[in-house]
């Protein structure tokens, strides 16, 4: 029986909070940690932009006085907002930093994004006197050797077109009859990003929320441990190919550099979504990473594509334009050795 006393944000999708219930108990700040499940009350009046992502990925409007269950976490998005639960002061006020229910004190926000949901901490979700965390609902699995061929999607920033490009490539492999896992290994948890893979037929989808992280901003040691768990879960599927997205940009503090370096020997093809040609150049220099294809905003016009070619010596293809599909398939076939004829 689903409990309707609270709005459950999508970061609760790995838990049984809605089914089994819990008590709410206020804990002192020194007992708070990343990934703790907490209950907060919404302070601002409703508005068109104020929406929460539910555990099924659907968006729901909110109004003042409603209570949301989400998780404490951190966000450091170049184009939208930054914040952390660590900055919460004695007034216990916070902001919903992502639609998935990532809670923390807002530290900066772009003037171009709409207002965000303001909340106040009411307490932690508690059972049998113990606070509940995302990690409590994750089963640690034995390490599985990872040998799945990877198509890697990276971006020069958030909102550069990674998920759209990854969806197009997932579809191509599925149409050709291959078993595909779609995964997002870094970023700030939104379910819609990996649901996009499922929509085009991915056999399995996975992200860092599945291993208990609200965002991939955490210590290197913790991330490495969680990363290994994500790779083991992908390996267990015995897929023909893994479509892997590194959320945000690898230069942001989401541990994207660790993910890329750990995957290097398995990467068959790298597709870079870029906001502009100079950003392509910067990322290539910073990571010694030469993409096989540049796509995204930088490839939208002939001028952009030519500049990418001249500045970086890399081919730009606007993957959304179906006339580029033939060239895309040729590159993917050459890089992976897999036939991509539609079955």
């Amino acid at each position: 029986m689903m409990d309707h006393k609270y709005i459950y944000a999508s970061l609760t999708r790995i838990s049984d909070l809605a089914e089994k219930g819990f008590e709410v108990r206020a804990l002192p700040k020194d007992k708070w940690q990343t990934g703790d499940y907490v209950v907060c009350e919404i302070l601002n009046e409703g508005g068109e932009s104020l929406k929460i992502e539910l555990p099924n990925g659907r968006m729901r409007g909110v109004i003042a006085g409603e209570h949301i269950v989400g998780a404490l976490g951190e966000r450091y998005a170049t184009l939208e907002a930054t914040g952390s639960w660590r900055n919460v002061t004695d007034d216990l006020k916070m902001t919903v930093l992502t639609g998935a229910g990532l809670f923390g004190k807002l530290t900066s926000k772009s003037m171009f994004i709409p207002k965000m949901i303001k909340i106040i901490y009411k307490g932690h979700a508690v059972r049998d006197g113990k606070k509940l965390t995302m990690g409590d609902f994750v089963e640690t699995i034995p390490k599985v050797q990872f040998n799945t061929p990877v198509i890697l999607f990276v971006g020069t920033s958030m909102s550069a077109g990674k998920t759209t490009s990854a969806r197009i490539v997932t579809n191509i492999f599925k149409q050709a009859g291959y078993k595909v896992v779609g995964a997002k290994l870094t970023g700030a948890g939104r379910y819609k990003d990996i649901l996009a893979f499922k929509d085009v037929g991915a056999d399995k989808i996975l992200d860092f929320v599945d291993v208990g992280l609200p965002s991939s901003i955490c210590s290197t040691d913790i991330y490495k441990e969680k990363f290994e768990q994500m790779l083991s879960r992908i390996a267990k599927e015995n897929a023909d190919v893994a479509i892997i997205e590194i959320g945000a940009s690898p230069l942001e503090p989401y541990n994207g550099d660790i993910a890329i370096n750990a995957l290097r020997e398995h990467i068959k093809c790298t597709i870079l979504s870029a906001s502009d040609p100079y950003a392509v150049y910067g990322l290539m220099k910073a990571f010694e990473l030469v993409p096989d294809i540049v796509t995204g905003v930088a490839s939208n016009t002939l001028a952009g594509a030519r500049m990418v070619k001249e500045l970086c010596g890399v081919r730009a293809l606007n993957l959304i334009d179906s006339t580029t599909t033939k060239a895309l398939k040729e590159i993917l076939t050459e890089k992976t050795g897999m036939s991509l004829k539609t079955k």
Side-chain angles (χ1 to χ4, degrees):
M1 177 66 183
M2 184 80 171
D3 168 15
H4 291 285
K5 188 161 65 169
Y6 303 112
I7 301 168
Y8 291 90
S10 67
L11 285 180
T12 66
R13 64 185 161 85
I14 58 170
S15 77
D16 60 12
L17 293 175
E19 294 75 37
K20 295 198 174 164
F22 53 89
E23 293 166 49
V24 180
R25 184 181 304 168
L27 297 178
K29 272 279 315 283
D30 61 2
K31 296 279 188 281
W32 294 18
Q33 277 172 313
T34 296
D36 286 359
Y37 279 129
V38 299
V39 176
C40 290
E41 182 182 340
I42 297 171
L43 297 174
N44 39 355
E45 301 305 320
E48 270 306 290
S49 67
L50 303 182
K51 288 190 163 71
I52 283 287
E53 184 180 62
L54 301 175
N56 61 7
R58 197 169 69 76
M59 298 302 287
R60 173 206 195 277
V62 298
I63 45 178
E66 289 190 297
H67 289 75
I68 314 182
V69 186
L72 297 177
E74 303 186 60
R75 188 180 186 204
Y76 203 82
T78 40
L79 303 182
E80 290 193 358
T82 65
S84 168
W85 63 267
R86 297 173 200 278
N87 297 88
V88 174
T89 56
D90 292 342
D91 67 5
L92 299 180
K93 287 182 179 171
M94 290 188 266
T95 298
V96 179
L97 297 172
T98 72
L102 183 76
F103 298 162
K105 176 90 172 172
L106 187 72
T107 49
S108 71
K109 161 186 178 306
S110 159
M111 63 172 84
F112 297 113
I113 66 164
K115 62 180 182 175
M116 297 169 79
I117 301 173
K118 294 183 174 65
I119 51 177
I120 187 163
Y121 170 79
K122 288 293 169 186
H124 273 63
V126 171
R127 275 184 197 153
D128 303 324
K130 182 180 165 292
K131 71 172 183 179
L132 296 169
T133 72
M134 291 177 71
D136 292 336
F137 299 95
V138 177
E139 182 196 349
T140 303
I141 67 165
K143 185 175 175 178
V144 183
Q145 187 65 38
F146 185 85
N147 289 313
T148 313
V150 170
I151 310 292
L152 185 74
F153 289 82
V154 280
T156 53
S157 72
M158 59 177 295
S159 307
K162 290 184 297 291
T163 306
T164 303
S165 306
R167 200 176 69 215
I168 290 165
V169 172
T170 301
N171 187 44
I172 286 173
F173 278 100
K174 283 311 299 173
Q175 295 292 330
Y178 291 104
K179 184 174 182 183
V180 179
V181 172
K184 183 177 177 181
L185 302 186
T186 69
R190 277 296 300 276
Y191 198 26
K192 72 172 175 116
D193 295 342
I194 57 167
L195 279 176
F197 296 129
K198 198 175 181 66
D199 290 342
V200 289
D203 298 272
K204 177 84 177 172
I205 54 172
L206 170 126
D207 70 355
F208 44 86
V209 174
D210 293 308
V211 293
L213 292 176
S215 80
S216 63
I217 298 179
C218 57
S219 75
T220 321
D221 291 347
I222 289 174
Y223 183 72
K224 282 180 173 165
E225 185 189 313
K226 300 290 190 185
F227 179 79
E228 192 174 278
Q229 279 289 304
M230 287 188 278
L231 283 201
S232 292
R233 282 168 159 77
I234 297 170
K236 218 171 73 168
E237 295 299 315
N238 285 319
D240 297 304
V241 66
I243 306 288
I244 291 184
E245 181 184 329
I246 300 296
S249 134
L251 292 172
E252 292 168 311
Y254 287 99
N255 287 306
D257 52 340
I258 290 175
I260 290 172
N261 287 326
L263 288 169
R264 262 184 215 271
E265 62 179 290
H266 306 289
I267 299 168
K268 301 297 179 199
C269 183
T270 301
I271 298 177
L272 172 62
S273 293
S275 44
D276 72 85
Y278 292 105
V280 176
Y281 186 76
L283 198 81
M284 285 172 66
K285 282 277 169 281
F287 278 90
E288 296 173 2
L289 191 77
V290 181
D292 297 292
I293 300 168
V294 168
T295 187
V297 183
S299 68
N300 282 354
T301 65
L302 288 173
R306 180 179 293 171
M307 200 165 167
V308 168
K309 186 84 181 121
E310 284 175 9
L311 195 64
C312 312
V314 177
R315 180 146 184 208
L317 288 178
N318 181 3
L319 301 189
I320 298 171
D321 177 354
S322 61
T323 61
T324 64
T325 305
K326 185 171 179 285
L328 171 60
K329 283 184 176 179
E330 283 166 6
I331 294 169
L332 290 170
T333 295
E334 183 199 332
K335 294 288 170 187
T336 62
M338 297 183 198
S339 161
L340 292 172
K341 290 185 172 67
T342 301
K343 288 195 174 164

